[in-house]
Amino acid sequence: MEDKKRLEEFEARIQRGEKIEPKDWMPERYRKQLIRMISQHAHSEVVGMLPEGNWITRAPSLRRKLVLLAKVQDEAGHGLYLYSAAETLGVDRQELIEQLLEGKAKYSNIFNYPTLTWADIGVIGWLVDGAAIVNQTMLAKSSYGPYSRAMIRICKEENFHKRQGYEIVATMAKGTPEQKKMVQDAVNRWWWPSLMMFGPHDTDSPNSGELLRWKVKTKTNDELRQRFVNLTVPQAHAVGLTIPDPDLKYNPETGNWEFGEIDWDEFWRVIKGDGPCNRERMRARRKAHEEGAWVREAAAAYAAKHGMKSRVA
Ligand code: BYC
């Protein structure tokens, strides 16, 4: 069949709301876009373990420590589901990981900021996982079957992450004046980078057109960002915290919380590798990868002995 005809059929299937599965015909651009997006997402989950992992040894109680350990382990699991989803598109996991370690692949802007106090752990769960849920609930409806199914499972776990974060925030917000100050300071530092997680404005987003046409994304960056702000502002007010935005105001006609302009220079700087912690994050990932070499070798030897394909990267 000619590619033009195949493309028409492919687009008609997407319009009917059918899922595209790994062995189905797909345009090369669709495959490339998915590999780009799913691998960036997988890298984000794995690099995202670092800022919170930094606080496991300093959690203020055994309960907090167990919850944080479980959360950070969940993020590793999310990375694994996502690398598997990317592999269904014919790319090798090893190749994707090399791209990350060589600094050629992007991962979420948000993980290039430091976690300075325990309050940051609460605020990451509340804001960062909260933003991820808004984005990923949309991606659970994505046209690519393996990605959408991975998102359903991930979102269930993200809900627990968000609740544990908000519980820390609410506890500190009604604690001593020092605790309240600490949690407000964390909100002040994480608010704007969390809004940046949704990507550039729709007018500056080169990938959105194609992704929306093929229903990889079903909502735009700005639509999702607005939804996140609308959900989060009342949650901040409920525990007596303020949002660090003098332009924030409620518009009763649209039902939206309108907000000020994001510092896009900062966004582009951070995603191009020059944020506060980019170098530290990459150093930590490379070290972990080198120290894990013996595990990969052992797994490969076991797989070879039993005639299996090794999937360890
Ligand atoms: N950070 O055309 P655009 C988590 C890049 S982890 C970095 O709008 P698109 C968690 C973009 O890649 C959850 N880069 O792109 C884990 C593109 O560059 P390239 C992470 C960004 O794809 C541990 C360029 O800017 N979630 O929850 O249409 C602990 C232009 O952008 C960012 C995901 O990865 C960014 N924020 O839309 C706690 C979700 N934004 O590739 C929590 C999956 C944009 O052309 N990804 N860029 O060189 C997506 O939904 C979409 O890819 C985005 C961007 C909305 C992020």
Side-chain angles (χ1 to χ4, degrees), residues 44-67:
S44 304
E45 300 283 356
V46 173
V47 177
M49 295 165 75
L50 295 168
E52 289 173 288
N54 185 32
W55 277 87
I56 291 173
T57 54
R58 291 174 288 166
S61 69
L62 181 60
R63 175 172 171 269
R64 294 287 187 211
K65 186 170 177 143
L66 288 172
V67 172

Side-chain angles (χ1 to χ4, degrees), residues 11 43 65 86 88 96 111 121 154 182 186 188 206 226 250 268:
E11 293 195 336
H43 300 327
K65 186 170 177 143
T88 65
L96 299 175
F111 303 116
I121 301 307
I154 290 178
M182 194 185 275
N188 295 349
Q226 184 65 63
Y250 186 67
W268 293 112

Side-chain angles (χ1 to χ4, degrees), residues 36-37 40-41 44-45 48 52 71 75 106-109 111 128-129 132 135-136 139 147 158 196-200 205-208 211 217 221 267-268 271:
R36 176 189 69 84
M37 202 167 139
Q40 286 177 4
H41 195 161
S44 304
E45 300 283 356
E52 289 173 288
K71 180 188 189 297
E75 309 301 355
K106 288 197 174 69
Y107 57 88
S108 183
N109 68 298
F111 303 116
V128 175
D129 287 86
N135 172 262
Q136 292 171 174
L139 292 174
Y147 196 25
E158 301 288 28
M196 294 175 197
M197 283 176 74
F198 296 92
S205 161
N207 298 297
S208 281
L211 294 177
K217 290 199 308 204
N221 296 359
F267 170 78
W268 293 112
I271 73 167

